[in-house]
Amino acid sequence: MAVATAAAILAALGGALWLAARRFAGSGVQRQRGGDPGLMHGKTVLITGANSGLGRATAAELVRLGARVIMGCRDRARAEEAAGQLRRELRQAAECGPEPGVGGAGELIVRELDLSVRAFCQEMLQEEPRLDVLINNAGIFQCPYMKTEDGFEMQFGVNHLGHFLLTNLLLGLLKSSAPSRIVVVSSKLYKYGDINFDDLNSEQSYNKSFCYSRSKLANILFTRELARRLEGTNVTVNVLHPGIVRTNLGRHIHIPLLVRPLFNLVSWAFFKTPVEGAQTSIYLASSPEVEGVSGRYFGDCKEEELLPKALDESVARKLWDISEVMVGLLK
């Protein structure tokens, strides 16, 4: 039994190392798709949830490309710490590069985006003359049943309704800054979600996995309906899945102590790093290849097909109408 167990562990380790080698060998090509320094010079980008994980990696690359990046984060102290680290990393990279200072990195700004989306947007509209890219990145994953301050189920409230309200309140600024872009971060797990209009707030029943998937399906339906409404405005909106990424998004998932070493090995071998996972967000925010493209779903910097339930225009319109009432845009 001991020999068989040891052999299984060694086989798993060998397979993991082989897969990791393959993934890291191809990561450089994917990393280069973001563009050259200066590509985003003069553009202002707002990223929600930018102090860690995908948001942090996206912010770092867009600043490298010359953008003025606003980090919209709930915890200002953590955001300031992350911004300080990013500034140091960018300075070191510039000093160690083959041509120090070429292109010129952009700027990092921290703004507190707590549960008061309206106050945040009011401040943005008062202080920012333009907004070229909005990246709806912040999210929460499979948390226990909780509610936002407005009384919404946490995953649906944060992942969908918060970004729905934020985007609508900033649409005027995005339109006046056109051509501009909106990028929405969803997940492949949308496939397991369903829009139950009779229990959107999970008052009758709650399944944390299903509710996460539902919020990610809502992201896609929102993107497609918004794209329809933005036709002719020169503002585009696209949605993406980043793949499975090693971030703190899974902090609410309990991994048994004895299983953690194997889980860490598997995640190291199979999961993307935040930098790898951020590449599609960066691509949609900056690449000339997607200029004018709107209402599409992307993964690994390529357009992908959606399941029929994510293409249902009547559901998308109904979800939009109900979301407007829920967040108070319509009485």
Side-chain angles (χ1 to χ4, degrees):
M1 179 67 73
V3 174
T5 301
I9 293 173
L10 288 173
L13 178 60
L17 291 173
W18 178 75
L19 287 166
R22 285 191 62 190
R23 180 166 62 78
F24 289 138
S27 63
V29 175
Q30 185 187 39
R31 179 74 161 70
Q32 293 171 8
R33 296 198 67 172
D36 299 322
L39 177 64
M40 295 291 286
H41 180 71
K43 296 187 181 295
T44 296
V45 181
L46 169 61
I47 308 174
T48 66
N51 62 290
S52 64
L54 290 175
R56 185 186 189 279
T58 303
E61 179 63 10
L62 291 176
V63 169
R64 187 189 74 82
L65 296 178
R68 179 175 177 271
V69 174
I70 300 171
M71 303 171 68
C73 305
R74 291 179 59 182
D75 189 325
R76 188 177 186 91
R78 289 180 59 198
E80 292 286 5
E81 181 181 358
Q85 292 174 345
L86 282 175
R87 293 184 187 111
R88 288 191 293 273
E89 291 170 9
L90 288 164
R91 281 197 298 270
Q92 292 172 358
E95 292 168 359
C96 298
E99 298 179 80
V102 172
E107 182 183 4
L108 275 173
I109 308 293
V110 173
R111 289 195 188 278
E112 187 174 355
L113 175 52
D114 59 10
L115 296 178
S116 178
V117 173
R118 291 180 183 276
F120 175 86
C121 290
Q122 185 176 9
E123 182 181 353
M124 281 284 297
L125 295 174
Q126 288 174 346
E127 300 186 10
E128 297 297 332
R130 65 180 301 110
L131 179 60
D132 299 278
V133 182
L134 167 62
I135 302 179
N136 290 324
N137 167 82
I140 191 166
F141 179 71
Q142 294 192 13
C143 61
Y145 187 76
M146 299 184 285
K147 288 186 176 181
T148 67
E149 285 192 353
D150 295 316
F152 303 127
E153 185 275 310
M154 187 64 72
Q155 293 190 90
F156 191 72
V158 172
N159 297 348
H160 169 59
L161 291 175
H163 286 128
F164 178 88
L165 178 60
L166 178 77
T167 303
N168 274 282
L169 293 178
L170 294 178
L171 269 184
L173 185 57
L174 286 158
K175 288 177 180 178
S176 67
S177 307
S180 53
R181 304 181 184 188
I182 301 168
V183 178
V184 180
V185 179
S186 182
S187 166
K188 276 188 174 182
L189 293 177
Y190 86 87
K191 299 175 180 180
Y192 305 103
D194 192 14
I195 305 297
N196 179 6
F197 288 110
D198 295 325
D199 192 26
L200 279 179
N201 210 35
S202 301
E203 302 276 352
Q204 300 172 21
S205 64
Y206 180 72
N207 179 290
K208 62 183 181 180
S209 298
F210 167 79
C211 286
Y212 177 77
S213 296
R214 178 168 62 188
S215 72
K216 295 290 105 177
L217 175 58
N219 289 154
I220 297 171
L221 292 167
F222 161 62
T223 297
R224 291 183 53 78
E225 176 62 13
L226 180 57
R228 186 184 69 81
R229 293 170 180 252
L230 288 175
E231 288 178 3
T233 64
N234 218 7
V235 180
T236 61
V237 55
N238 291 290
V239 62
L240 67 104
H241 74 82
I244 305 176
V245 186
R246 294 196 304 275
T247 70
N248 64 355
L249 187 66
R251 58 188 176 276
H252 293 291
I253 302 300
H254 174 68
I255 305 295
L257 187 63
L258 293 176
V259 181
R260 285 180 191 174
L262 180 58
F263 175 81
N264 291 336
L265 174 64
V266 170
S267 66
W268 178 79
F270 289 92
F271 294 7
K272 293 180 179 179
T273 65
V275 171
E276 291 168 341
Q279 291 308 302
T280 307
S281 293
I282 296 163
Y283 174 72
L284 291 176
S286 63
S287 175
E289 293 179 13
V290 289
E291 185 175 352
V293 175
S294 193
R296 310 292 177 81
Y297 173 68
F298 287 81
D300 291 328
C301 301
K302 299 185 296 292
E303 186 178 348
E304 296 187 2
E305 293 185 0
L306 287 164
L307 294 180
K309 64 181 173 182
L311 300 171
D312 192 319
E313 294 181 0
S314 63
V315 172
R317 284 194 295 270
K318 185 174 180 179
L319 178 63
W320 181 285
D321 293 341
I322 291 176
S323 297
E324 280 187 315
V325 174
M326 291 180 78
V327 301
L329 289 175
L330 286 181
K331 301 299 182 183

